[in-house]
Amino acid sequence: MQSTRLTKLLNFLATQPNDPFILYALATEYNSLNDTKEAFYYYLKLVEEHPSYIGTYYHLGKLYEKEQQAEKAIAIYQTGMQRAREKGDRHAFSELQGAYHIAAGTDYEDD
C-alpha cells in the first residue's frame, strides 16, 4: 500500500514528468519507505537528467553508503562537490565534502 504522500507525488509526476523537485521528492520518499530500488532509480535519473540539482548527490551518496557501496558513495560525493563548485554553492560543497571525508576515512587536511 502506498503512502498518501507517495500517491500525491506520483500524481504530480504524471503531470510534470521532468520536474527535478518532484523526482527528488519521489527519491526521498522511496528512501524513507526503504524502497531502495525505486530510490536509486529516481536519484540516478536526477543525476543523469538534472546534474545541477545539487541536493541529489548527498542523498544518493548516503544511500550508497547504506547499501555498503562506499566506492560509489565516494565517487558521487566527488561529482557533487564539482557540481557545487561550478554553481558556487559553498554550503552544498561543504556538506558534500564532509560526507566525502567520512566515507573516504580522510581528514580535511588531506585535501
Side-chain angles (χ1 to χ4, degrees):
M1 180 177 194
Q2 292 181 348
S3 74
T4 303
R5 184 175 22 220
L6 182 58
T7 301
K8 287 179 183 178
L9 288 170
L10 290 169
N11 288 335
F12 289 143
L13 183 66
T15 61
Q16 298 173 326
N18 203 33
D19 183 312
F21 178 76
I22 295 169
L23 295 171
Y24 178 80
L26 275 165
T28 303
E29 184 64 16
Y30 278 119
N31 193 22
S32 73
L33 296 171
N34 293 315
D35 188 336
T36 304
K37 181 181 175 186
E38 290 298 316
F40 270 124
Y41 173 79
Y42 286 104
Y43 283 135
L44 292 170
K45 183 176 178 71
L46 274 163
V47 167
E48 183 179 320
E49 296 177 8
H50 303 280
S52 64
Y53 203 84
I54 304 300
T56 305
Y57 297 93
Y58 180 87
H59 294 284
L60 177 56
K62 288 297 180 186
L63 186 56
Y64 276 130
E65 286 188 69
K66 179 178 153 186
E67 293 297 308
Q68 314 282 320
Q69 298 180 48
E71 288 182 19
K72 287 184 178 182
I74 290 166
I76 208 70
Y77 292 142
Q78 289 173 319
T79 301
M81 286 188 295
Q82 181 60 38
R83 298 281 186 235
R85 244 189 230 117
E86 291 166 1
K87 284 187 80 172
D89 189 336
R90 292 180 184 177
H91 178 74
F93 178 86
S94 178
E95 286 185 340
L96 287 159
Q97 185 180 47
Y100 165 80
H101 284 295
I102 291 168
T106 59
D107 295 325
Y108 284 100
E109 294 84 35
D110 291 345
D111 275 350

